[in-house]
Amino acid sequence: MSTIKTVSYPNLGWNTAADIHLPPGFDETKKYPSIVSTHPIGSCKEQTAGNIYAKGLAEAGFVVLVHDASFQGASGGTPRFIEDPAIRVSDIRFAVDYLQSLPYVDAERIGAIGVCGGGAYTVHAGITDHRIKALVSITGVNYGRLIREGFAQFKPRELAEGIAQMRTAQAQGAERNAANLLPDSVAAAKAAGITDIDVLEATDYYKTGRGQQPNGATSQLMSFSGAAMGWDAFLQAEVLLTQPLMIVVGDKPGGFGAYRDGWEIYGRAASTDKHIVVVEGWSHYDLYDKPEPVSLAMAKLVPFFKDRL
């Protein structure tokens, strides 16, 4: 079985908390290929990026580092619950720095994987950090597009103005309040008239024993979300994203847009070694932890990483 070691690396950027998943029979005198695993928006390292994908990849022979985003989970930084794409991508770069400092990691064989928002952050990191030799996005969502569309109810100018007003008020002494991104329960969501599969299934994952974790807060300080309004996870992918790339999506699309974003980055990436895996009959949140769709995804991504790392 794989084992987990909890680490931090405050001298390499933010005070980031992370788990390293080590393969069965780990020998610290050997050199291993390694992978950075990045969690979704509002998630933490103990959820899907850690207990599903990092664990599975470690059991396949990789050293896998899964980190809590800065200002989230067990990582340091205040104010809490900041979701800033530039910081999230920097977290991935710092994770690569840390892996390259470990004597049992082969610095030339580092890959990256991410889930949901973490999938698109992983893609963006790979565009400009070519120390990452291969990338996998699991049901990746371009957070810049999502905040301009779904979060803004397709009124991005109004949301930008609202964020500006919140930031001004807080600078002048108003209390900072993190917004809960999801309803309290599936029943509450349905009672409010919500029918979108992604919202309902996200609530089922994050708000029940299925996926709920103490640090998986599903909260966000919206007043610090202005930077995301002008961000595109796929910027310059046509020029700079040259590494091997695998995109995994379910074929039951929901409002968060992973299916759409998956096909977009597949088309835009400059890589000549790129693959899109459509897991038929399954949804965005099925790919978080449901055994059958996860096994279908792992059957593709494990050999992908083994061949390229």
Side-chain angles (χ1 to χ4, degrees):
M1 292 181 62
S2 60
T3 58
I4 302 175
K5 178 171 68 173
T6 298
V7 299
S8 64
Y9 36 97
N11 296 328
L12 295 173
W14 308 109
N15 184 14
T16 304
D19 289 336
I20 295 180
H21 292 245
L22 300 170
F26 172 73
D27 181 347
E28 63 181 12
T29 67
K30 294 182 178 180
K31 293 278 190 180
Y32 291 85
S34 64
I35 296 169
V36 176
S37 184
T38 299
H39 67 67
I41 294 162
S43 186
C44 64
K45 66 183 184 299
E46 291 83 13
Q47 291 169 326
T48 176
N51 68 355
I52 300 298
Y53 290 99
K55 180 176 182 290
L57 285 164
E59 290 173 352
F62 298 92
V63 168
V64 188
L65 186 148
V66 55
H67 54 283
D68 277 330
S70 298
F71 307 95
Q72 300 178 32
S75 292
T78 56
R80 305 301 294 164
F81 309 120
I82 291 176
E83 187 69 38
D84 184 316
I87 294 173
R88 292 293 306 267
V89 173
S90 288
D91 287 340
I92 297 171
R93 294 194 183 100
F94 287 132
V96 174
D97 291 342
Y98 181 70
L99 284 173
Q100 289 189 319
S101 76
L102 299 175
Y104 51 82
V105 166
D106 185 335
E108 297 302 316
R109 291 194 293 162
I110 295 177
I113 189 171
V115 183
C116 189
Y121 292 142
T122 295
V123 167
H124 194 82
I127 289 171
T128 54
D129 192 336
H130 286 209
R131 296 176 301 170
I132 300 171
K133 304 303 183 183
L135 302 97
V136 172
S137 171
I138 303 292
T139 196
V141 171
N142 183 346
Y143 181 55
R145 176 202 54 76
L146 179 60
I147 197 169
R148 289 187 296 272
E149 296 182 357
F151 278 30
Q153 298 182 324
F154 291 87
K155 297 178 180 179
R157 296 175 186 172
E158 287 85 344
L159 179 58
E161 180 59 32
I163 290 172
Q165 291 173 0
M166 284 188 283
R167 192 72 177 251
T168 296
Q170 290 168 11
Q172 295 172 350
E175 185 178 357
R176 291 176 177 146
N177 292 310
N180 194 331
L181 301 177
L182 295 171
D184 290 336
S185 66
V186 173
K190 290 180 176 179
I194 295 171
T195 58
D196 178 69
I197 186 175
D198 281 353
V199 176
L200 295 176
E201 292 190 357
T203 304
D204 181 65
Y205 180 80
Y206 284 109
K207 300 290 189 178
T208 72
R210 173 184 163 194
Q212 195 169 39
Q213 292 286 341
N215 284 331
T218 66
S219 296
Q220 187 170 326
L221 191 62
M222 292 305 297
S223 57
F224 277 65
S225 296
M229 295 291 291
W231 188 74
D232 173 19
F234 308 146
L235 183 66
Q236 296 297 327
E238 300 89 343
V239 178
L240 293 171
L241 185 53
T242 57
Q243 302 98 310
L245 173 69
M246 177 171 282
I247 305 296
V248 180
V249 293
D251 74 343
K252 295 168 66 176
F256 294 166
Y259 185 83
R260 164 188 168 185
D261 287 342
W263 280 104
E264 179 181 346
I265 187 55
Y266 174 72
R268 288 177 63 176
S271 174
T272 57
D273 181 5
K274 57 183 178 180
H275 312 266
I276 188 159
V277 177
V278 179
V279 185
E280 296 182 359
W282 300 98
S283 67
H284 182 106
Y285 286 93
D286 290 336
L287 280 162
Y288 273 42
D289 66 338
K290 295 286 183 67
E292 184 175 345
V294 168
S295 67
L296 292 171
M298 292 295 290
K300 297 293 186 179
L301 67 92
V302 168
F304 172 81
F305 276 132
K306 284 193 171 183
D307 288 346
R308 291 154 183 87
L309 299 178

